[in-house]
């Protein structure tokens, strides 16, 4: 177009020139605004979750940022931000996915009190406002814990109901017993990122206690070790914590199955479990916290059809120990120390077993099998929902199984007092219906009599 033609066109259609100029300015403004927003998001806290610390008046707060915000801080208090604690951050890489994991250890909290908090940095701002309730003092109260395993980023069937129950205050803490996201390392860790975002609406408000599963094994469980913060000194692999009349023990069943990471892990965990159980069984400790509940991912027993799961055989490694030598098995250790309840996952189903040792049912009595049982009680609760869907159970239910279901759902544990423990299974498929409920009664917590 010649200069004269442009001049004539501008005279005839000046509005188009003005609009074009305005449009360019507005687009540039939107572009700048988006750049500022995206830049800020790189430093914003995400994946916020909490977990119990080394004592009842402690809490860990863990979160992630894409870039280093040059600060790791939690501001918190009883209704207002009265306190401020600085933590540490570590660089965590999964392929091209680079992020910073932030950890802050809150101490000297007021037992039984509700705190508000946010996390972030002075330089780049803060997360949303969250809250948590510190554990109550002593052992004479009735804690409620929700338990499940095998919750994925895709088909997270139970998550919406768990969020609803969290809002209603139906539990005090959460135990996720292995297998997260499916899998946290996939797509350079972005599946793990999405999963951590999914659980934030519950995990930022209630202690989210964890154990590793087989889907976390990549890189010697690096995703699990980096993303979660449990008490103890073993990268969240094995630890214990007290809650009211319960002594909880979390551990890794996976050390038996991924021996490429070293046999020493099996030995170290076994020795640690022995010491922890010995301490829990000291007279003063067992009197204060008589209930001993363990949780690890792969079960000792199951009625799954899969040929890949050794829980359907008599040689489950967790039960009998490492192959051939049959050393460091946990069934004897747990029964010798009077463990009341062993919680498992891995099978995408719910199974309640009769009191059981070495495939022998040892009920308290025919009429009341869980009243003063003569062996440890097992439940498997691995049906929270994931892309692998349900497990296929055997056509005939084995004699050692009391109840089973492949409904999506999760379990609730409620210690009524020092002698009564209620276990319930919630079906998400049946709109939150309690499809199984039983009460373990132990008048005296001690090693089982066949020892």
């Amino acid at each position: 177009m010649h200069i004269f033609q442009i001049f004539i066109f501008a005279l005839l259609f000046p509005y188009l020139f003005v609009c074009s100029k305005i449009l360019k300015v507005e687009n540039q403004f939107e572009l700048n605004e988006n750049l500022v927003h995206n830049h800020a998001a790189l430093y914003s806290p995400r994946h916020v979750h909490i977990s119990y610390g080394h004592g009842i008046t402690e809490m860990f707060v863990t979160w992630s940022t894409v870039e280093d915000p040059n600060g790791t801080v939690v501001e918190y208090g009883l209704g207002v931000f009265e306190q401020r604690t600085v933590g540490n951050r570590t660089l965590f890489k999964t392929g091209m996915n680079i992020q910073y994991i932030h950890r802050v250890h809150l101490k000297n909290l007021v037992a039984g009190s509700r705190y508000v908090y946010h996390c972030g940095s002075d330089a780049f701002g803060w997360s949303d406002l969250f809250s948590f309730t510190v554990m109550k003092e002593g052992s004479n109260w009735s804690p409620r814990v929700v338990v499940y395993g095998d919750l994925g980023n895709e088909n997270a069937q139970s998550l919406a109901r768990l969020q609803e129950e969290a809002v209603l205050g139906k539990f005090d803490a959460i135990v996720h017993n292995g297998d997260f996201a499916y899998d946290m390392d996939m797509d350079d860790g972005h599946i793990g990122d999405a999963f951590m975002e999914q659980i934030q609406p519950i995990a930022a408000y209630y202690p989210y206690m964890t154990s590793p599963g087989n889907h976390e094994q990549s890189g010697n469980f690096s995703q699990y070790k980096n993303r979660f913060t449990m008490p103890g000194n073993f990268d969240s692999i094995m630890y214990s914590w007290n809650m009211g009349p319960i002594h909880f023990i979390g551990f890794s069943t996976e050390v038996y199955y991924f021996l490429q990471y070293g046999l020493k892990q099996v030995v170290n965990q076994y020795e640690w479990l022995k010491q922890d159980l010995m301490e829990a069984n000291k007279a003063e400790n067992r009197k204060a916290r008589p209930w001993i509940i363990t949780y690890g991912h792969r079960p000792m027993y199951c009625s799954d059809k899969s040929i890949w799961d050794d829980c359907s055989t008599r040689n489950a490694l967790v039960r009998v120990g490492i192959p051939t030598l049959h050393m460091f098995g946990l069934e004897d250790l747990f029964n010798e120390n009077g463990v009341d309840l062993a919680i498992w996952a891995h099978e995408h189903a719910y199974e309640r077993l009769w009191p059981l040792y070495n495939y022998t049912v040892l009920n308290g009595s025919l009429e009341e099998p869980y009243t003063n049982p003569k062996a440890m009680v097992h439940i498997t609760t691995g049906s929270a929902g994931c892309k692998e869907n349900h497990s296929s159970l055997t056509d005939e239910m084995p004699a050692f199984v009391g109840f089973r279901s492949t409904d999506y759902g999760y379990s609730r544990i409620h210690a009524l007092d020092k002698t009564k423990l209620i276990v319930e299974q919630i079906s998400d498929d049946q709109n939150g219906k309690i499809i199984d409920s039983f009460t373990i009664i132990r008048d005296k917590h001690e090693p089982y009599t066949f020892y």
Side-chain angles (χ1 to χ4, degrees), residues 35-302:
L35 287 172
V36 169
H37 174 75
N38 292 335
H39 181 73
L42 297 177
Y43 298 89
S44 296
R46 56 183 194 160
H47 313 162
V48 181
H49 56 287
I50 61 174
S51 51
Y52 286 125
H54 304 298
I56 65 169
T57 59
E58 299 182 12
M59 197 76 76
F60 290 113
V61 183
T62 307
W63 70 95
S64 164
T65 57
V66 177
E67 296 287 355
D68 184 359
N70 196 31
T72 299
V73 183
V74 172
E75 294 183 332
Y76 59 103
L78 299 170
V80 294
F81 297 142
E82 305 162 314
Q83 295 172 271
R84 174 184 175 96
T85 298
V86 176
N88 59 72
R89 58 196 175 276
T90 55
L91 179 65
F92 178 46
K93 296 182 180 180
T94 308
M96 298 297 291
N97 184 352
I98 299 173
Q99 59 186 296
Y100 291 82
I101 306 294
H102 302 253
R103 293 179 170 88
V104 175
H105 189 182
L106 307 183
K107 302 178 181 179
N108 301 315
L109 301 168
V110 180
S113 298
R114 181 180 176 273
Y115 281 77
V116 295
Y117 76 98
H118 65 186
C119 54
S121 67
D122 292 319
F124 288 98
W126 304 92
S127 70
D128 292 337
L129 180 68
F130 303 109
S131 65
F132 62 79
T133 300
V134 185
M135 194 186 300
K136 295 177 184 177
E137 284 185 307
S139 59
N140 294 314
W141 59 284
S142 301
R144 302 160 302 162
V145 179
V146 65
V147 186
Y148 53 83
D150 304 80
L151 180 66
N153 163 247
E154 183 182 328
N155 190 31
Q157 179 86 17
S158 300
L159 191 55
R161 193 169 303 280
L162 286 164
Q163 291 174 353
E164 181 181 333
E165 292 206 346
V167 171
L168 296 174
K170 288 193 174 183
F171 48 80
D172 302 300
I174 301 160
V175 171
H176 186 154
N177 198 13
D179 281 5
F180 307 78
Y182 284 75
D183 291 344
M184 288 197 290
D185 66 298
M186 289 183 66
D187 189 20
D188 279 356
H190 290 297
I191 298 298
D193 292 340
F195 177 79
M196 299 305 294
E197 201 70 32
Q198 282 176 288
I199 65 169
Q200 179 176 292
I202 56 175
Y205 296 90
Y206 291 92
Y208 203 84
M209 311 303 287
T210 60
S211 70
N214 55 295
H215 280 269
E216 286 72 68
Q217 70 87 19
S218 177
N220 196 6
F221 301 87
S222 61
Q223 292 284 326
Y224 173 82
K225 292 174 180 177
N226 277 278
R227 292 182 186 271
F228 295 104
T229 312
M230 297 297 115
N233 303 306
F234 300 99
D235 289 329
S236 304
I237 295 296
M238 48 185 160
Y239 62 96
S240 62
W241 49 291
N242 296 321
M243 188 181 202
I246 305 173
H247 180 68
F248 282 105
I249 303 174
F251 66 99
S252 173
T253 59
E254 302 315 295
V255 297
Y256 293 90
Y257 297 90
F258 296 100
L259 293 177
Q260 66 266 36
Y261 300 128
L263 181 60
K264 190 176 180 180
Q265 293 184 104
V266 179
V267 179
N268 288 346
Q269 178 173 263
Y270 186 84
E271 292 301 320
W272 177 84
L273 284 167
K274 278 177 62 176
Q275 291 301 314
D276 190 84
L277 286 164
M278 186 184 301
E279 184 69 22
N281 272 291
K282 286 181 177 178
E284 64 274 20
N285 293 333
R286 198 81 199 240
K287 182 180 179 181
R289 293 180 177 85
W291 293 107
I292 298 179
I293 299 177
T294 66
Y295 54 93
H297 185 62
R298 298 199 204 202
M300 295 184 185
Y301 301 91
C302 68

Side-chain angles (χ1 to χ4, degrees), residues 373-404:
K374 298 181 179 69
M376 182 171 69
V377 178
H378 302 247
I379 65 166
T380 295
T381 175
S383 58
C386 67
K387 67 181 182 181
E388 293 183 357
N389 301 316
H390 303 292
S391 289
S392 295
L393 302 181
T394 56
D395 296 333
E396 185 176 341
M397 191 167 75
F400 59 80
V401 178
F403 178 86
R404 62 185 187 172

